[in-house]
Amino acid sequence: MDPSSSASTHRDRSQTIQAAWKHGEPNWYTSNLHNHPWICIISFIIIVVLTSFLALPKMVLAGETGREYLIWDDIRVEREDMFQLAEDEVKELNEYGEVLPLQTEHVPSWDMWIVYESRVQPTLFTVANLQHMQETEAQITSHPNYPQLCLKQLNPNNNKQFQCQPNSDTILQYFTKPYTQPQINTDVNTIATDDVIYKEAKIYLDSKFSESNQRVKYARSMYKFGAPLDVGGKRYSSFTDHEKDQIDFFRDFTEDLEGKINGNDSDGVYVFFYNAVWFEGIMNDIVMRDFLFAVLSLGFVVMYMMIHSRSVVMPLIGMGQVICAFPVAFAVYHYVFQVHFFNMMELLSIFVILGIAADDIFVYLDAWDQSKQYDVLRNAPIRRTSWVFMRAAKAMFITTFTTFCAFMATAISKIMPIAAFGIFSATLILVNYVMVVTNFAAWVVVRERCLVWWRQKRSNNLGKKDQEQGKESARDIEMSNKPVSSQNNSVDASFESSKSVTSSLDADLITPRPRRETERRVEKMGRLDRFFNQTYYPAVVKCRYGIIGIFIIWFVFAAIFASKMSAPTKEDEWIPDDHESVQGINRMQDYFPQGENDNAQKINLVWGLSGLEKSSSGNKWDPEYLGELVWDEEFDLSPTKNQQYILSICEELTQPKYSHMVKDGIVYCFMKEFKDYITSQGQTFPVPEDQFVSELNQYLDSPNGNQDKVNQRIGIVNKTDLRYVAVEVIGVGDYAPASVMEPRWERWEDFMDDKNSDAPHGLSRGFQTSKRWRFYSSEQLLVKNAIQGIFIAGGIAFVVIALSTMNIIIALYSIFVIAGIILSVMSVMYFNGWEFSIAESIAVVILIGFSVDYVVHLVHAYVESNYRSRLDRTRDALSKMGVSILGGAITTFGNGAVLFLCTGIFFVKFAWIITSTIFFALVWSLVFFPAWLIILGPENETGNLHYYYGNMKTKWQQRKEFNQRNGATSTPEGKL
């Protein structure tokens, strides 16, 4: 063996022992932690109990409003909010808004669809199939609760009575009874050849139906329902009056019917059922079932921790601590950060914290086990507690702080739930860290005392020989419990003088016998520590160049694939296509032309509203806060030219020149209906200005006018104050990505700008709005947020790593590894066919948080190592942190893998996100990074910021002294 190498190894080993002793110097906290652990434990229990009293009553899941994922200050969102506020305010001010006629308000979400599919026949329309379809739909109209839910209209023979509307939305209305095959064929031919009938009926037939192809495989019917209801003697005034109670009554109705209709197949026809309210209930059931897998995840984590730590009690304490972290974190989240939003997304943080908490616990327990390698610590319990705490707390703090900052970076997102999720997860991670270094550290001390007591008691029950050994152990324990000052004096002296290197505490370790010393240290290691030191490290050294080459190539390809991720081009899917609940809606979307009652875009042209005022006190975390509506004081529809102006817009939009904007010329124009009403009364249009409001009120009492009133196209208060009007247009096109939606938006903006420029006084502030416009700006922001979050979190991670290690080179290496992890996971997302929708944006938040942990553990161990060469430092880092990293990775991977058993697509995506992130974080950190450090890891003072600062300071002082000696009073500009 090379003598110089032997001396270097011996010197490094001596420094390691000395550092272990000095780093175990107790401070105020670690002394109290060791001497009074129950104070920490009892304080922890008190804090958890108090915060639980504060947090649990507030920890209520928020309901979905449809606005959570919108950008609330976007003009598209504000316009729709204005329209919604106008409708609500008119309802509140109006007498008819207080007591709306029963079941006259159409509720689109209550529309019930029945979809039929031919099983074997070349066409669906046979006698047997039509009879079965008729029997199926009779289940709806014959239901006992149908009269209480059907959509009603004014009786044409009595304007004071309302009756259920004849259903004009069923395919059966086009067939003549009794059913015979020749008559059926004639009816089908009539539908195909009569332009008027075809235009009405085509949305109920599959899109392939035409005059030349009269074979139909799919058909459908729809039933409409209305509010307000009268249930059990409780008469509601409108749909928004105790809305939940009315929806619950309707949900019971749909669930009963679904059991009778869905799957009520015959030999010739499949039957599928769909309703939005029923589907929402199915979704909620699926989500709640899927969340039960969190319990399974918790069980897996606990079991592995028991195996890893060879303990039953400590993993149970650790996981109990995780559960206790939730109310404490929520109290901080709610009362300190003032975030009052909490929904299902925040509950997903349990899958985040399980892995992080397990990782922290492994770091602490592994540090405790590794402290046994040093006799100087093993025989001084208080120094051992202090050494373990200082080492583990610092390692955990670096990863905790970087992960905390990564999640907090999402707080700047304008998409509220993503910002709230990031803040809550960051808070939970910070609370978990505090609990580990206080409560869990105290339990480790208690456990060790119990083990010492148990060993001593067992030794007292042994034979004479064993009793003698027990006395020896008791003497060791007595020596270790001597005052700290006496221990310091007796042992520190061994390092202050070269004459005391043969001290009884460490003489055997620092005697120049490198091979024996190394063997002794390895023997004291655990099996996994020994694996990383003796087996894994040599393998990495041998294959280091091949490893680097493979990962560099993969980095390039991953960057290419990740760059292809794009904004959403289709709506998010929440349930797999093969789930029974989506068979009906999938067939409607795939095989039928989209009609006005489908997922069509409804655009409202609105006059009478000016803007929104939002007070600074408005809660930015409350999706129900829309602001205060500002009415257009100049709005006036009474002048004859203003009436004619609205009518001209309606007539213009039905022309072929606007076919690229308006679907099939469908325009619901109240002014056209008003004109028809006026002319039917023998009057002329436009109406004289002074008679307009009174005539308009009479029109609103007619059947057609009542529909305009119910659908809130005319907002008039107490029959005297006309506040706003709206024209509803069915727009062209279904759901589309932002790149397609934006040109549509701009076309309608140009149209309204053009009309406003020529509008008469009182109608010059019209605008267009649609619920569909609201989402595409959010979709654009999802991509921007993901990229922004990556760069912000990456920058924060770089600064934290650089400051914590005080080494600029190691920080740059770490950022490269983190970038490799992020790009690798994003390439998996690309190969899965994902786009940057809600789930993927949350994925990036989690991805950034998880990607920093493992590499930072290795970085910290590498920099803190007392060895000098990059080879020894890398081996030392793997020996110390490899087992903790592996344990944390296995628990988090298993925790995420459980979610593959879920039904909901969102949870399955979450499983992919967690497992792929952990996999790539593990291989980049434990395979690539050690190989890179072996080749290019900084040695001695390379990259050391302290060293560079010291050199700069020394040179400055030297230059200053030189200038002073030469009579200079200051350093010449530009000479430094």
Side-chain angles (χ1 to χ4, degrees):
M1 178 179 291
D2 184 3
S4 62
S5 174
S6 174
S8 174
T9 303
H10 166 64
R11 181 176 60 252
D12 288 345
R13 178 61 179 160
S14 301
Q15 291 177 350
T16 300
I17 297 172
Q18 183 176 359
W21 181 257
K22 289 187 175 180
H23 288 172
E25 181 70 35
N27 55 34
W28 173 86
Y29 179 75
T30 55
S31 296
N32 282 283
L33 179 67
H34 180 81
N35 295 325
H36 310 290
W38 287 107
I39 294 179
C40 289
I41 294 170
I42 294 172
S43 299
F44 165 82
I45 294 172
I46 293 172
I47 291 172
V48 170
V49 171
L50 291 177
T51 53
S52 295
F53 276 115
L54 291 172
L56 293 179
K58 302 289 185 180
M59 198 179 290
V60 179
L61 293 179
E64 296 290 335
T65 66
R67 296 187 72 252
E68 291 87 353
Y69 295 93
L70 303 177
I71 304 171
W72 296 344
D73 59 355
D74 185 80
I75 184 64
R76 304 163 186 83
V77 177
E78 288 189 337
R79 284 182 179 176
E80 193 62 27
D81 291 345
M82 288 163 57
F83 192 40
Q84 181 63 51
L85 284 171
E87 293 180 353
D88 295 342
E89 190 164 331
V90 168
K91 280 183 179 181
E92 291 176 4
L93 295 174
N94 251 330
E95 291 181 359
Y96 67 76
E98 295 175 3
V99 186
L100 199 66
L102 287 174
Q103 299 162 237
T104 55
E105 181 181 0
H106 174 222
V107 184
S109 63
W110 289 6
D111 291 347
M112 187 178 295
W113 292 93
I114 314 297
V115 181
Y116 306 103
E117 178 182 356
S118 175
R119 298 187 69 166
V120 291
Q121 293 90 347
T123 181
L124 176 64
F125 298 132
T126 64
V127 174
N129 287 353
L130 284 176
Q131 288 175 344
H132 184 74
M133 292 160 65
Q134 182 179 350
E135 292 170 1
T136 299
E137 296 187 26
Q139 299 275 4
I140 300 174
T141 56
S142 63
H143 193 282
N145 291 338
Y146 180 76
Q148 295 177 269
L149 290 163
C150 66
L151 181 62
K152 291 185 175 181
Q153 65 179 17
L154 282 171
N155 188 332
N157 300 320
N158 186 344
N159 284 347
K160 295 183 179 180
Q161 291 183 353
F162 292 86
Q163 63 182 18
C164 288
Q165 288 186 8
N167 190 13
S168 60
D169 297 299
T170 172
I171 188 60
L172 297 177
Q173 66 182 309
Y174 298 101
F175 294 90
T176 306
K177 298 178 184 178
Y179 301 132
T180 62
Q181 196 59 51
Q183 184 61 49
I184 291 173
N185 295 338
T186 301
D187 292 337
V188 171
N189 185 66
T190 301
I191 296 172
T193 56
D194 189 307
D195 292 340
V196 175
I197 297 178
Y198 175 76
K199 186 176 181 180
E200 293 176 354
K202 67 177 183 178
I203 65 170
Y204 305 110
L205 301 167
D206 67 51
S207 54
K208 295 182 179 180
F209 178 77
S210 65
E211 185 175 356
S212 59
N213 179 26
Q214 296 185 13
R215 291 183 176 181
V216 176
K217 184 175 178 61
Y218 300 94
R220 62 179 175 175
S221 295
M222 183 187 72
Y223 285 79
K224 294 180 180 180
F225 299 89
L229 304 180
D230 185 349
V231 180
K234 172 65 174 176
R235 206 282 193 200
Y236 300 101
S237 60
S238 67
F239 177 60
T240 56
D241 179 16
H242 293 81
E243 181 178 340
K244 183 180 182 301
D245 294 339
Q246 297 184 72
I247 292 176
D248 287 344
F249 180 76
F250 180 79
R251 180 179 288 112
D252 293 340
F253 170 70
T254 60
E255 289 176 353
D256 187 26
L257 281 176
E258 186 274 336
K260 299 175 181 178
I261 295 175
N262 206 16
N264 181 32
D265 306 332
S266 68
D267 293 337
V269 61
Y270 293 110
V271 181
F272 303 99
F273 175 93
Y274 178 78
N275 169 261
V277 174
W278 164 78
F279 184 70
E280 181 183 3
I282 295 293
M283 283 286 297
N284 291 336
D285 291 343
I286 289 173
V287 169
M288 295 310 299
R289 285 198 302 269
D290 286 349
F291 258 112
L292 293 177
F293 285 105
V295 178
L296 187 59
S297 297
L298 185 66
F300 171 82
V301 172
V302 170
M303 288 183 61
Y304 181 79
M305 290 177 67
M306 289 178 179
I307 296 171
H308 181 92
S309 63
R310 299 182 300 280
S311 170
V312 175
V313 176
M314 298 311 292
L316 292 175
I317 292 173
M319 289 301 101
Q321 183 174 275
V322 170
I323 296 172
C324 292
F326 268 85
V328 178
F330 183 83
V332 176
Y333 171 78
H334 185 83
Y335 293 103
V336 178
F337 289 112
Q338 290 292 301
V339 182
H340 300 153
F341 178 81
F342 189 78
N343 73 348
M344 299 294 286
M345 190 178 296
E346 274 65 42
L347 292 180
L348 289 175
S349 57
I350 189 172
F351 299 104
V352 176
I353 197 60
L354 278 176
I356 292 176
D359 180 57
D360 288 348
I361 290 170
F362 286 145
V363 169
Y364 204 95
L365 291 178
D366 291 340
W368 184 268
D369 290 340
Q370 290 168 2
S371 66
K372 297 176 184 178
Q373 299 174 22
Y374 305 104
D375 290 338
V376 292
L377 298 177
R378 189 170 52 184
N379 296 324
I382 193 168
R383 280 188 175 267
R384 182 182 182 188
T385 299
S386 182
W387 181 86
V388 170
F389 178 87
M390 298 303 293
R391 176 187 155 182
K394 183 176 180 181
M396 290 187 295
F397 176 78
I398 297 172
T399 57
T400 296
F401 189 70
T402 51
T403 309
F404 171 84
C405 292
F407 279 103
M408 283 298 290
T410 63
I412 64 174
S413 174
K414 288 188 176 182
I415 300 177
M416 184 271 290
I418 293 179
F421 172 75
I423 293 173
F424 183 76
S425 296
T427 305
L428 192 59
I429 290 167
L430 190 61
V431 167
N432 172 75
Y433 171 77
V434 174
M435 287 184 171
V436 171
V437 298
T438 54
N439 177 67
F440 190 78
W443 277 110
V444 171
V445 174
V446 171
R447 182 193 69 161
E448 187 63 20
R449 288 186 177 182
C450 292
L451 288 174
V452 171
W453 173 83
W454 180 77
R455 289 167 187 154
Q456 187 175 6
K457 182 177 180 181
R458 187 180 64 171
S459 66
N460 291 336
N461 296 327
L462 297 176
K464 184 175 180 180
K465 181 178 179 179
D466 292 334
Q467 288 178 359
E468 290 295 323
Q469 294 177 353
K471 291 178 181 179
E472 180 118 65
S473 299
R475 283 197 298 272
D476 291 342
I477 294 172
E478 182 180 357
M479 289 179 61
S480 67
N481 288 328
K482 288 182 178 180
V484 176
S485 58
S486 64
Q487 294 180 27
N488 293 349
N489 293 336
S490 64
V491 184
D492 286 346
S494 66
F495 294 108
E496 293 175 357
S497 173
S498 60
K499 296 179 181 180
S500 60
V501 295
T502 58
S503 170
S504 60
L505 286 173
D506 57 4
D508 190 50
L509 289 176
I510 62 176
T511 301
R513 293 192 295 259
R515 183 180 298 277
R516 180 183 174 188
E517 170 262 309
T518 301
E519 290 174 353
R520 284 194 54 177
R521 185 184 175 208
V522 171
E523 287 173 1
K524 294 178 182 179
M525 291 181 179
R527 284 175 295 179
L528 284 176
D529 293 329
R530 193 159 54 245
F531 165 78
F532 279 106
N533 186 281
Q534 297 296 300
T535 305
Y536 184 73
Y537 168 77
V540 174
V541 172
K542 183 178 180 180
C543 304
R544 59 190 182 277
Y545 293 109
I547 291 172
I548 296 298
I550 291 171
F551 274 84
I552 293 297
I553 294 171
W554 169 243
F555 185 93
V556 174
F557 278 101
I560 294 172
F561 297 137
S563 66
K564 296 182 178 181
M565 289 286 292
S566 62
T569 58
K570 57 184 178 180
E571 290 184 282
D572 279 339
E573 294 181 352
W574 301 96
I575 297 180
D577 288 339
D578 58 354
H579 195 271
E580 61 178 0
S581 64
V582 296
Q583 297 306 305
I585 187 65
N586 285 348
R587 281 164 172 76
M588 288 197 292
Q589 292 175 347
D590 295 341
Y591 302 116
F592 292 88
Q594 296 297 298
E596 58 181 288
N597 294 315
D598 292 291
N599 199 20
Q601 181 175 10
K602 298 179 180 179
I603 300 167
N604 286 288
L605 313 183
V606 185
W607 292 267
L609 313 180
S610 178
L612 284 177
E613 288 184 355
K614 295 184 179 181
S615 64
S616 57
S617 60
N619 189 349
K620 67 176 183 178
W621 304 105
D622 183 7
E624 296 183 0
Y625 176 74
L626 307 185
E628 299 295 329
L629 178 64
V630 179
W631 298 97
D632 182 3
E633 298 298 335
E634 297 181 359
F635 171 66
D636 187 2
L637 192 57
S638 298
T640 55
K641 60 180 179 180
N642 291 20
Q643 299 173 44
Q644 192 63 51
Y645 170 77
I646 297 293
L647 181 62
S648 66
I649 290 179
C650 296
E651 292 174 343
E652 184 177 353
L653 287 172
T654 60
Q655 300 302 312
K657 64 178 292 188
Y658 290 104
S659 60
H660 64 295
M661 296 171 61
V662 182
K663 182 178 180 63
D664 298 331
I666 302 174
V667 178
Y668 295 102
C669 182
F670 73 93
M671 193 60 76
K672 180 180 181 302
E673 297 293 338
F674 177 63
K675 177 185 176 182
D676 293 343
Y677 170 78
I678 289 297
T679 54
S680 69
Q681 300 295 316
Q683 302 180 50
T684 58
F685 180 87
V687 176
E689 182 174 350
D690 58 346
Q691 301 176 21
F692 176 73
V693 174
S694 62
E695 293 293 342
L696 186 63
N697 278 302
Q698 293 181 32
Y699 160 72
L700 291 175
D701 290 333
S702 68
N704 288 340
N706 182 69
Q707 287 302 307
D708 284 325
K709 179 170 65 177
V710 168
N711 291 319
Q712 297 297 303
R713 298 186 191 116
I714 300 175
I716 188 169
V717 177
N718 295 330
K719 299 187 176 183
T720 58
D721 185 9
L722 182 61
R723 296 292 186 91
Y724 75 92
V725 293
V727 173
E728 184 179 307
V729 181
I730 304 301
V732 169
D734 194 6
Y735 183 90
S739 58
V740 176
M741 294 294 284
E742 189 163 9
R744 294 180 188 172
W745 154 269
E746 290 174 351
R747 283 196 292 268
W748 279 104
E749 282 293 278
D750 292 341
F751 175 81
M752 289 304 295
D753 288 343
D754 180 59
K755 295 305 173 185
N756 285 337
S757 63
D758 296 332
H761 180 73
L763 295 177
S764 60
R765 295 182 180 176
F767 62 86
Q768 59 89 17
T769 181
S770 172
K771 292 183 183 296
R772 188 67 57 79
W773 300 140
R774 303 179 304 169
F775 293 99
Y776 89 76
S777 54
S778 297
E779 292 167 359
Q780 291 175 315
L781 192 63
L782 289 173
V783 180
K784 181 180 178 181
N785 274 353
I787 297 173
Q788 188 179 56
I790 289 172
F791 279 99
I792 291 176
I796 292 173
F798 174 77
V799 172
V800 171
I801 295 171
L803 292 179
S804 60
T805 63
M806 295 306 293
N807 192 299
I808 193 71
I809 293 178
I810 207 76
L812 290 172
Y813 290 169
S814 302
I815 293 302
F816 179 78
V817 172
I818 293 170
I821 297 168
I822 292 173
L823 292 175
S824 299
V825 177
M826 290 180 67
S827 65
V828 171
M829 294 163 63
Y830 169 75
F831 282 120
N832 277 337
W834 298 359
E835 299 169 324
F836 268 120
S837 61
I838 295 170
E840 289 75 12
S841 296
I842 298 171
V844 171
V845 177
I846 297 170
L847 168 59
I848 297 169
F850 276 152
S851 63
V852 301
D853 271 11
Y854 303 150
V855 66
V856 169
H857 278 319
L858 276 180
V859 162
H860 174 256
Y862 183 91
V863 173
E864 290 291 311
S865 175
N866 290 288
Y867 292 98
R868 296 188 178 187
S869 72
R870 60 172 65 99
L871 295 177
D872 288 337
R873 282 187 169 191
T874 304
R875 183 196 289 266
D876 193 39
L878 284 172
S879 301
K880 290 178 178 177
M881 299 308 301
V883 62
S884 299
I885 292 172
L886 184 62
I890 291 175
T891 53
T892 311
F893 186 92
N895 167 41
V898 170
L899 297 181
F900 281 115
L901 302 175
C902 294
T903 302
I905 291 177
F906 183 87
F907 289 97
V908 175
K909 283 186 175 182
F910 210 70
W912 274 106
I913 292 161
I914 293 178
T915 54
S916 60
T917 300
I918 295 305
F919 172 77
F920 285 113
L922 188 66
V923 296
W924 275 91
S925 299
L926 283 186
V927 180
F928 170 80
F929 196 52
W932 186 268
L933 290 176
I934 288 168
I935 298 173
L936 295 173
E939 295 181 303
N940 299 320
E941 304 301 335
T942 305
N944 190 317
L945 295 177
H946 280 305
Y947 176 76
Y948 293 152
Y949 174 75
N951 279 351
M952 290 178 61
K953 188 176 181 180
T954 300
K955 290 180 180 179
W956 173 271
Q957 292 293 337
Q958 291 174 350
R959 177 57 61 89
K960 185 177 180 180
E961 293 172 0
F962 175 80
N963 290 337
Q964 288 176 347
R965 285 196 301 270
N966 288 274
T969 58
S970 62
T971 302
E973 185 177 356
K975 296 294 185 181
L976 183 60

